Amino acid sequence: MRPAEERFTRHLIEGESVQDLTSGTLLEDPVRGAAAVGATDRRMLCVSKTGGFVDVSYDYICSIESQRRTRTTYRPGDENDRLLPLVGGLLALAALAVVVAASVPLDGFVGALTVGLAAATVTLGSAVEHVRTQTNRAYGPVFVGAGVLTLLALVGVVLVAPTVYVPLYLLVTLGGCGLVAYAARHREHLSGPGLERHPKIHLSINTIDGETVRIAIDGETRFDRELSACIHRYEGSTIDRVVAGTPTE
């Protein structure tokens, strides 16, 4: 039995059974902080890490308000994470492309067309290289051959087209290929942006004497529904209880 469960069971009275148990945080209560939150056959009980507890008999609960919230946190990558240098290289390439385009200066259409054709070249070249090195199926050589011919045709057209600024095209193409090669080489160390979403359910248990017990629990649990079911199953209750929910924030 885990320590939290053991602390919780110490507060049960004879004959009392646990219907559901989860972890949560007590908010705005004398016993504040992380706690084991449970619904028994006769009351809602919260026991903190220090052994303090808050309980509300189902006889005293007049309503429950449930509100879903999501908290986003940043998780730093490990020391081998290569995402930051990759993003830095991308920003540096974009800044250099802007400087080159502004030094001419280029017409907006010419600049956009040049960068678009460079991006298409990088994408096509990356796809051909990926299929060449990763695919063992029969269509692999056919795709690679067709891709190489298309790539050569695209580069040839770009070099002679009057509406394409060749220095900018070469800069974006070569820089983009370098970034793609870097990402492929270090793909095992690209951890993503490091943003994690933590869904929470905030419960407000209102009692007939005007008190409110506020709890935050994991958004993946069904404790709020089980608590509501326990209240309605409670024998001998004569109170009209309302369970209200609000839209997710």
Side-chain angles (χ1 to χ4, degrees):
M1 181 180 295
R2 293 178 298 179
E5 296 178 354
E6 185 177 354
R7 286 193 300 269
F8 187 86
T9 55
R10 290 200 196 114
H11 289 79
L12 298 179
I13 61 178
E14 185 177 355
E16 187 176 17
S17 62
V18 179
Q19 305 299 307
D20 196 12
L21 181 63
T22 187
S23 59
T25 304
L26 283 165
L27 310 173
E28 302 177 10
D29 282 294
V31 184
R32 186 179 178 88
V37 181
T40 74
D41 57 345
R42 64 191 69 182
R43 59 176 171 160
M44 190 273 298
L45 174 63
C46 305
V47 181
S48 72
K49 290 183 177 180
T50 60
F53 71 97
V54 174
D55 68 332
V56 183
S57 172
Y58 295 150
D59 280 337
Y60 284 86
I61 297 178
C62 60
S63 67
I64 301 175
E65 297 176 2
S66 174
Q67 187 178 54
R68 291 185 174 271
R69 299 181 181 179
T70 301
R71 181 170 59 93
T72 302
T73 59
Y74 173 73
R75 174 184 52 79
D78 58 29
E79 59 182 6
N80 295 320
D81 188 14
R82 303 295 182 179
L83 179 63
L84 188 59
L86 181 62
V87 173
L90 182 61
L91 294 177
L93 177 60
L96 188 58
V98 171
V99 171
V100 172
S103 64
V104 177
L106 289 179
D107 177 77
F109 172 77
V110 173
L113 178 63
T114 301
V115 172
L117 289 173
T121 303
V122 173
T123 302
L124 180 59
S126 301
V128 170
E129 180 63 17
H130 176 75
V131 173
R132 187 186 69 82
T133 57
Q134 302 294 330
T135 304
N136 297 321
R137 298 183 179 180
Y139 66 81
V142 176
F143 180 87
V144 171
V148 170
L149 291 177
T150 304
L151 192 61
L152 292 175
L154 177 61
V155 174
V157 170
V158 166
L159 294 179
V160 299
T163 56
V164 176
Y165 186 55
V166 176
L168 179 60
Y169 172 82
L170 293 177
L171 170 67
V172 176
T173 300
L174 295 177
C177 288
L179 290 174
V180 170
Y182 179 88
R185 186 180 307 113
H186 300 286
R187 59 181 175 272
E188 295 181 357
H189 299 290
L190 296 177
S191 61
L195 296 179
E196 296 180 343
R197 294 170 61 86
H198 303 277
K200 292 287 185 181
I201 299 176
H202 284 227
L203 295 178
S204 296
I205 295 94
N206 305 306
T207 65
I208 59 176
D209 55 2
E211 298 294 330
T212 301
V213 178
R214 295 180 175 87
I215 308 169
I217 58 175
D218 187 357
E220 302 298 328
T221 69
R222 296 172 57 89
F223 178 79
D224 54 336
R225 299 182 182 181
E226 183 59 32
L227 177 61
S228 175
C230 289
I231 293 173
H232 288 285
R233 288 197 303 261
Y234 182 63
E235 296 182 357
S237 175
T238 59
I239 301 170
D240 184 17
R241 304 178 177 85
V242 179
V243 179
T246 56
T248 304
E249 292 187 350

